[in-house]
Amino acid sequence: LKSHPKARPAAVVAVSQPPPVRMEGGDPAVMGEGEGEGGGGPNGVQQTQWKPSWKGYGWGKGCGWGKGWGGCKGGLKGGMMMMNNMKGKGKGKWQPRWPSGPNLARARVSSEPVTGEVLEWKGKYGWIKPTVPVEHPMADRHKGHIYVSINDLQGGLEALTVGSLCQFHLFEDASGLGAEEVIGS
């Protein structure tokens, strides 16, 4: 059986054996064949025992083919540790750093309607830039833009057109400022 070209050479481990126990009138043939005084091997020299450098079989250390799921970059052991350092794909569902979404507890901030321009619409939510900057402690979040959800649109609207003006009331939640009761033009 040929070894793989990338396989590591087997490690040489020196193993010392205890000296033979001599019984009275002991026979050297019983103590071990050719072993003399001092133990170990012939003439007291330590014997070496060959041990493979890997467990199981394969290329060694789980890199490549062989037993188990491997421990190299693509394997389950070492690969999972690498995935902890990865960002984005491969880590499961992304978790936001702070609460977000349209269902957070709200507190209305404005008593009069505010106007603003629709910056972007992403299907179910979007961002509005108020025409007059809002003076509020949370106004700096999200670059001063106001979050709007499809649930907050009124008058049968299902989407906002980018670049159009709209009127809305401001609310505050754990994520920042948002628009409710939005009327598009």
Side-chain angles (χ1 to χ4, degrees):
L1 185 66
K2 291 185 178 181
S3 65
H4 194 275
K6 292 185 179 179
R8 296 183 191 177
V12 178
V13 180
V15 179
S16 64
Q17 297 177 354
V21 178
R22 229 175 225 216
M23 304 181 91
E24 293 214 15
D27 185 10
V30 175
M31 293 189 314
E33 308 210 333
E35 292 182 5
E37 295 293 329
N43 301 326
V45 178
Q46 288 185 341
Q47 292 181 343
T48 58
Q49 181 180 2
W50 290 88
K51 285 189 175 181
S53 62
W54 62 85
K55 292 182 181 178
Y57 51 88
W59 291 356
K61 297 283 186 184
C63 297
W65 66 277
K67 192 174 179 180
W69 287 93
C72 282
K73 294 179 183 177
L76 192 58
K77 294 175 191 168
M80 291 304 267
M81 291 189 325
M82 279 185 54
M83 289 180 80
N84 291 338
N85 298 333
M86 290 174 56
K87 295 179 181 171
K89 292 183 181 181
K91 285 181 58 177
K93 191 172 179 182
W94 179 78
Q95 297 293 322
R97 287 180 232 147
W98 54 79
S100 65
N103 300 325
L104 296 173
R106 301 177 171 188
R108 186 172 276 193
V109 175
S110 65
S111 56
E112 302 279 325
V114 180
T115 49
E117 179 185 352
V118 180
L119 290 178
E120 57 183 324
W121 185 254
K122 298 195 174 258
K124 295 193 176 191
Y125 73 96
W127 297 96
I128 301 172
K129 180 180 181 179
T131 52
V132 177
V134 178
E135 294 183 23
H136 190 273
M138 296 184 105
D140 293 338
R141 279 196 178 182
H142 308 293
K143 301 176 187 174
H145 302 158
I146 309 297
Y147 171 83
V148 60
S149 171
I150 194 169
N151 300 338
D152 294 312
L153 302 181
Q154 289 190 336
L157 284 175
E158 293 184 6
L160 291 175
T161 308
V162 176
S164 65
L165 291 176
C166 59
Q167 278 191 334
F168 54 91
H169 283 279
L170 280 175
F171 70 84
E172 172 190 6
D173 63 10
S175 181
L177 294 178
E180 61 185 357
E181 299 179 12
V182 180
I183 304 169
S185 58

